[in-house]
Amino acid sequence: MTQVSSPESRLTLYCLPHAGGSARPYGRLEAAVPRGVRVVPLELPGHGRRLRERPLRDMGQVVTEVIRLMGEGRGRPFALFGHSFGALVGYETTRRLRQLGTPPELLLVSGRNSAAWPLSHEPLHLLPDPSFAAGLSRMGGIPEALLAEPAVLRVYLPSLRADLRMVETYAHTHREPLEVPIAAFAGLQDRLTDPAGMAAWAELTSRPFDLTLLRGGHFFLDEPEFRTAMESRLGRIGPPAVAAATGSGSTAGPEHGRERSRVPGGTTAELSEEEI
């Protein structure tokens, strides 16, 4: 079960896993966020500690469950972070929370092209198990450690298939942009994303947007480069959420309408309309 932020926390970072993934890896982010940020991984039915539960198969149900898990935490400053499938869940959850009047301070997405972009791969969710797993492997969309354990992989296939079904049948129908800043992260060797598709997240918000391009493939959450970028971006959330805890007086994100991309090596470049 999830926890809410402590009185000392200035911001709670709720984390949403990739397809078939568990909340456990996000616990390691605690050491990679600014002082005053509390990391709260959320476990979905059919995943991780809730593996015995039936996986949800409808995005609306997933969003409802995420908000239930957040509980009273929605009454304090918070941000949402989702990787791959989790990025899509985070986006749809942010839209629901906006309707409820409790939007996050920031939406962070990684490993997934814009929710408004077409699917980046051929649909897999209807394939038989061997072809399904092989397809995920070719795309780099499944951890190598899981591929090395076929018996363990079979246990996770139902949740993987349910999550991929939601991704592969998803249709973006929203017309109004979010009034929430978005920060995006992507691996330059990720076969499931590309820089243009990641930059297109900018079109889904009327608030500041920035994109960080990293070395590596689809799974980079444990990489020092990503952790440094995450810490930096969270540290730029203005008061009263985080800046007071980090000693920074900067406000959240770049000037509205100016998309920026941080490339490997720590440099930052503005994205022109042609690059987007």
Side-chain angles (χ1 to χ4, degrees), residues 214-229:
L214 308 161
R215 300 178 183 89
H218 189 62
F219 295 103
F220 51 75
L221 301 189
D222 284 332
E223 296 298 324
E225 187 180 23
F226 167 72
R227 292 179 168 229
T228 298

Side-chain angles (χ1 to χ4, degrees), residues 54-274:
R54 185 187 297 274
L56 299 176
R57 301 177 183 277
D58 176 79
M59 183 62 71
Q61 293 176 349
V62 174
V63 169
T64 297
E65 176 65 6
V66 167
I67 293 174
R68 186 190 72 81
L69 290 173
M70 292 172 65
E72 295 178 0
R74 291 195 291 126
R76 305 178 180 92
F78 68 93
L80 286 178
F81 170 49
H83 180 70
S84 196
F85 165 69
L88 195 59
V89 174
Y91 172 70
E92 286 294 327
T93 301
T94 298
R95 299 203 72 95
R96 177 86 65 84
L97 290 170
R98 183 72 181 82
Q99 295 173 353
L100 295 173
T102 56
E105 302 281 328
L106 174 68
L107 171 63
L108 303 106
V109 295
S110 68
R112 212 270 183 198
N113 284 340
S114 166
W117 269 46
L119 193 64
S120 63
H121 62 273
E122 292 295 322
L124 302 174
H125 71 275
L126 293 177
L127 295 177
D129 285 354
S131 300
F132 178 69
L136 284 173
S137 176
R138 285 194 302 272
M139 295 186 300
I142 189 169
E144 291 296 326
L146 194 56
L147 286 172
E149 299 288 345
V152 177
L153 176 60
R154 283 195 294 273
V155 174
Y156 286 93
L157 283 178
S159 59
L160 272 166
R161 192 181 294 278
D163 293 349
L164 260 292
R165 178 183 178 277
M166 283 184 274
V167 169
E168 294 174 351
T169 60
Y170 176 80
H172 187 269
T173 59
H174 308 294
R175 295 185 178 181
E176 296 297 321
L178 284 171
E179 296 179 358
V180 173
I182 297 178
F185 305 85
L188 287 168
Q189 280 75 53
D190 188 353
R191 283 170 280 180
L192 293 174
T193 65
D194 58 74
M198 294 300 301
W201 280 102
E203 301 167 6
L204 302 186
T205 179
S206 62
R207 299 292 302 281
F209 168 82
D210 53 88
L211 168 63
T212 302
L213 300 176
L214 308 161
R215 300 178 183 89
H218 189 62
F219 295 103
F220 51 75
L221 301 189
D222 284 332
E223 296 298 324
E225 187 180 23
F226 167 72
R227 292 179 168 229
T228 298
M230 170 70 85
E231 181 179 19
S232 175
R233 184 61 187 87
L234 288 172
R236 289 194 284 118
I237 296 180
V242 173
T246 62
S248 169
S250 61
T251 56
E255 178 185 352
H256 170 59
R258 305 283 286 184
E259 292 79 41
R260 300 178 70 84
S261 171
R262 184 169 297 279
V263 298
T267 58
T268 302
E270 292 185 7
L271 293 173
S272 67
E273 292 182 2
E274 289 76 20

